[in-house]
Amino acid sequence: MCGWEFSETWLDKILELIGAEKILFGTDNPWHNPAYSLGRIAYAKISDKEKEKILGGNFKRLVGEKF
């Protein structure tokens, strides 16, 4: 999700096309405030389950519970 200026506009379409399981949260820190990237997901009109996947669940699934 980082680095893409229009991601909040297209988030619904992205979720429809590929699903929340294929989206990872990221930021452009230190060039951009990470709060902006977090806010795009936190305030998106998507389910809490989708937010959980994007904000860390998918990462844990990919690398395991050790992280």
Side-chain angles (χ1 to χ4, degrees), residues 15-47:
L15 288 170
E16 179 185 320
L17 292 173
I18 66 170
E21 295 78 19
K22 294 184 180 180
I23 301 173
L24 295 175
F25 174 74
T27 71
D28 283 335
N29 192 41
W31 297 279
H32 299 286
N33 185 340
Y36 178 73
S37 297
L38 178 60
R40 289 193 286 187
I41 302 301
Y43 293 104
K45 295 176 183 174
I46 60 176
S47 72

Side-chain angles (χ1 to χ4, degrees), residues 11-12 15 41 43-51 54:
L11 185 57
D12 292 338
L15 288 170
I41 302 301
Y43 293 104
K45 295 176 183 174
I46 60 176
S47 72
D48 287 343
K49 193 69 170 172
E50 290 171 315
K51 290 176 186 179
I54 294 168

Side-chain angles (χ1 to χ4, degrees), residues 24 31 56 59 61 65:
L24 295 175
W31 297 279
F59 178 78
R61 180 176 47 82
E65 291 293 325

